[in-house]
Amino acid sequence: MSQQQTTAKRDGFSSGFGVLAATLGSAVGLGNIWKFPYLTGANGGASFLLVYLLATLLVALPVMIAEIALGRKAKANPISALLALAPARQPWWLIGAAGMVASFLILSFYSEVVAWVFAYILKAISGSVLSSDRAVTEAAFGSLISDPVQSLVWQWVVLATMGGILMLGVTKGIEALTKKLMPLLFLLLVLLCAVSLSLDKAREGLAFLFHPDFSKLTAATVLTALGLAFFKLSIGMGTMMTYGSYFRDDQDIPATAFRVMSADLCVSLLAGIAIFPAVFTFGFEPAAGPALVFITIPAVFSQIPMGQALMVVFFVLTAIAATGATLSLMEVPVLILQERFGLSRRKATASTLGLLALTGSTCALTNSALSGFTLFGLNMFDLFDFVSSNLILPAGGIFIALFVGWVWGFDQLRRALSNEGRLNNGKLAGVVFFLLRYVSPLLILLVMLKGLNLF
Ligand code: TRP
């Protein structure tokens, strides 16, 4: 490793629960609240769920385990980690560099969606977006996203909040906060589920989410499931490698990854159970993406007893989910700037924030000042999403799997996963290795080609 000045102990996660909370905090995010429930409902319910589970177990989970193992072995940021673990002069460190770029691209639009969530907490409290008329809630959302000042200022509020938490450090910032927020998230979700399930058409909502429809299983939905599994578990760009570098040496990596994946799935399912029974009860169409969260949901809540309070709960919950994910995305460039460029934690965070305010503003202004500005036929919001989700993440996933499967090798993986022989999980390491060497790279390649519309 090329770090000097490491006389002080490296910051990291201090307890088993802290590791779990922070890692789960990264996995749980906006993806759970609208992407997962909607995609599951629209693509065949239980049959999609089955494919999603297979994609997670065969591809996403092995890559997640690989990233964490690499990070913990090297105890460094993704660039330094791959420089240290790869044979001399092989450019695997480019995975880390691409991850840093992806982090800025994802954060540029992700932070703007979080900005809307923050703004909606206030709007829910003031009651200004509560209306049973979808046209009214649609106009309210439209006026927010097309106002350049509000869009920018709320994004800065989000960035400054996240930056403040990151400056506290890994143990005192990320870990301490996610340890408090993750249990709260589950509590609020269960509360909303109980309310939603008590409504008239709860059954219809559940049927939308769970009724298996195998006729909707096409090659395209299989690939959608795989892409979702990737985004959900925050893999392919060094986030999990970065968090892995904070794992304790006695942490059981495969068990932790499995728990994170299961808990993340729980949050996704609970989000669907909280949302769709209510949406069907009041006769709305289950819309996709931002429209579901910012237009349909306010209209639904306006018709539920105590709906205003519950809507505040819903947006606070979404903000909590998004916070852990945003922190993990920002931690990648912060750690790289710290360890590779020798900046202090404060300066590294401040530089990341400054750059993000710049790149993020292009997404904040997508619906106002820059509404006419497109590249390759996409506005900045969609372009950044496309390039990161469809190009960098899957490519990163392929190369991480190939690196472990063909360069790092079975022996290193087995030693890392068994904590140098202290855990008896050799068979499991064998399965993970086989998946990484052959199965994951091929399957991911299919996702990529589909993303690029090459077949
Ligand atoms: N997993 C988060 C979500 O579901 C998003 C996220 C956080 C992410 N870190 C990431 C996605 C790294 C890809 C890569 O919302």
Side-chain angles (χ1 to χ4, degrees):
M1 272 168 282
S2 57
Q3 284 75 55
Q4 329 80 21
Q5 33 113 307
T6 33
T7 37
K9 195 172 160 291
R10 196 167 179 272
D11 206 356
F13 300 135
S14 66
S15 67
F17 178 60
V19 172
L20 201 64
T23 313
L24 181 62
S26 169
V28 168
L30 296 172
N32 302 64
I33 310 291
W34 48 264
K35 249 189 179 168
F36 180 93
Y38 176 75
L39 286 175
T40 303
N43 289 306
S47 42
F48 180 83
L49 209 55
L50 197 75
V51 180
Y52 173 79
L53 272 180
L54 280 177
T56 301
L57 292 174
L58 295 181
V59 183
L61 199 57
V63 174
M64 183 183 191
I65 292 172
E67 275 199 45
I68 295 173
L70 292 172
R72 188 179 67 180
K73 177 71 193 173
K75 298 232 172 350
N77 65 83
I79 295 179
S80 303
L82 288 160
L83 275 172
L85 300 176
R89 285 197 301 278
Q90 289 189 11
W92 295 97
W93 60 271
L94 285 171
I95 301 173
M100 179 153 167
V101 174
S103 156
F104 280 100
L105 296 179
I106 297 177
L107 279 166
S108 294
F109 66 86
Y110 204 87
S111 66
E112 186 55 26
V113 182
V114 187
W116 301 336
V117 173
F118 274 36
Y120 263 65
I121 294 177
L122 280 198
K123 287 180 191 283
I125 292 173
S126 75
S128 67
V129 282
L130 274 177
S131 163
S132 59
D133 184 354
R134 201 174 173 283
V136 174
T137 57
E138 189 167 354
F141 182 53
S143 78
L144 169 67
I145 65 174
S146 61
D147 178 345
V149 177
Q150 283 200 61
S151 299
L152 277 177
V153 170
W154 277 111
Q155 188 178 46
W156 294 338
V157 170
V158 169
L159 292 177
T161 308
M162 303 298 163
I165 299 166
L166 285 179
M167 281 188 193
L168 294 173
V170 179
T171 318
K172 293 195 184 123
I174 300 174
E175 180 182 351
L177 189 77
T178 49
K179 270 192 336 208
K180 292 200 185 86
L181 290 184
M182 283 298 117
L184 181 63
L185 176 96
F186 274 95
L187 204 75
L188 296 181
L189 250 184
V190 170
L191 171 77
L192 285 184
C193 283
V195 173
S196 190
L197 285 175
S198 72
L199 297 171
D200 285 353
K201 300 228 175 119
R203 265 162 177 269
E204 251 177 76
L206 293 182
F208 174 72
L209 200 56
F210 292 117
H211 182 73
D213 181 355
F214 284 94
S215 71
K216 288 202 175 135
L217 270 193
T218 61
T221 46
V222 172
L223 297 170
T224 304
L226 194 53
L228 180 65
F230 247 72
F231 191 83
K232 280 306 318 119
L233 293 185
S234 310
I235 54 178
M237 52 144 293
T239 291
M240 284 300 157
M241 226 184 284
T242 303
Y243 273 27
S245 78
Y246 301 138
F247 270 45
R248 292 151 48 107
D249 285 327
D250 61 358
Q251 190 82 21
D252 184 338
I253 294 177
T256 306
F258 190 80
R259 279 186 204 124
V260 166
M261 177 234 104
S262 314
D264 178 70
L265 183 66
C266 264
V267 173
S268 297
L269 293 175
L270 289 174
I273 294 172
I275 292 170
F276 290 118
V279 166
F280 278 88
T281 296
F282 298 103
F284 291 105
E285 283 292 305
L292 176 65
V293 172
F294 299 103
I295 298 173
T296 307
I297 295 231
V300 167
F301 278 121
S302 73
Q303 302 175 55
I304 298 182
M306 309 241 298
Q308 187 176 357
L310 291 171
M311 186 171 147
V312 176
V313 169
F314 175 82
F315 282 105
V316 167
L317 177 143
T318 308
I320 289 176
T323 297
T326 311
L327 290 175
S328 75
L329 280 161
M330 279 171 80
E331 182 63 21
V332 175
V334 168
L335 187 66
I336 290 177
L337 289 176
Q338 248 183 292
E339 292 185 342
R340 295 221 54 90
F341 295 86
L343 299 189
S344 68
R345 177 117 191 138
R346 273 175 166 276
K347 284 203 179 123
T349 311
S351 315
T352 303
L353 284 181
L355 202 56
L356 267 177
L358 214 67
T359 58
S361 68
T362 61
C363 292
L365 300 177
T366 283
N367 295 296
S368 49
L370 295 178
S371 62
F373 185 74
T374 58
L375 265 181
F376 310 109
L378 295 172
N379 64 35
M380 291 304 104
F381 200 103
D382 296 333
L383 181 74
F384 288 1
D385 189 5
F386 181 85
V387 171
S388 53
S389 305
N390 295 343
L391 300 178
I392 303 183
L393 291 187
I398 291 178
F399 286 116
I400 288 160
L402 289 178
F403 178 71
V404 172
W406 298 89
V407 179
W408 208 41
F410 179 62
D411 199 47
Q412 292 285 352
L413 182 72
R414 186 176 49 82
R415 284 171 53 189
L417 299 191
S418 68
N419 297 348
E420 302 296 330
R422 281 189 290 274
L423 300 172
N424 185 10
N425 57 6
K427 279 215 183 86
L428 182 72
V431 174
V432 172
F433 183 72
F434 175 81
L435 291 171
L436 288 170
R437 192 167 158 106
Y438 302 108
V439 182
S440 315
L442 270 176
L443 284 178
I444 302 167
L445 191 66
L446 288 180
V447 175
M448 257 193 107
L449 296 180
K450 159 80 171 106
L452 295 171
N453 273 329
L454 290 183
F455 77 91

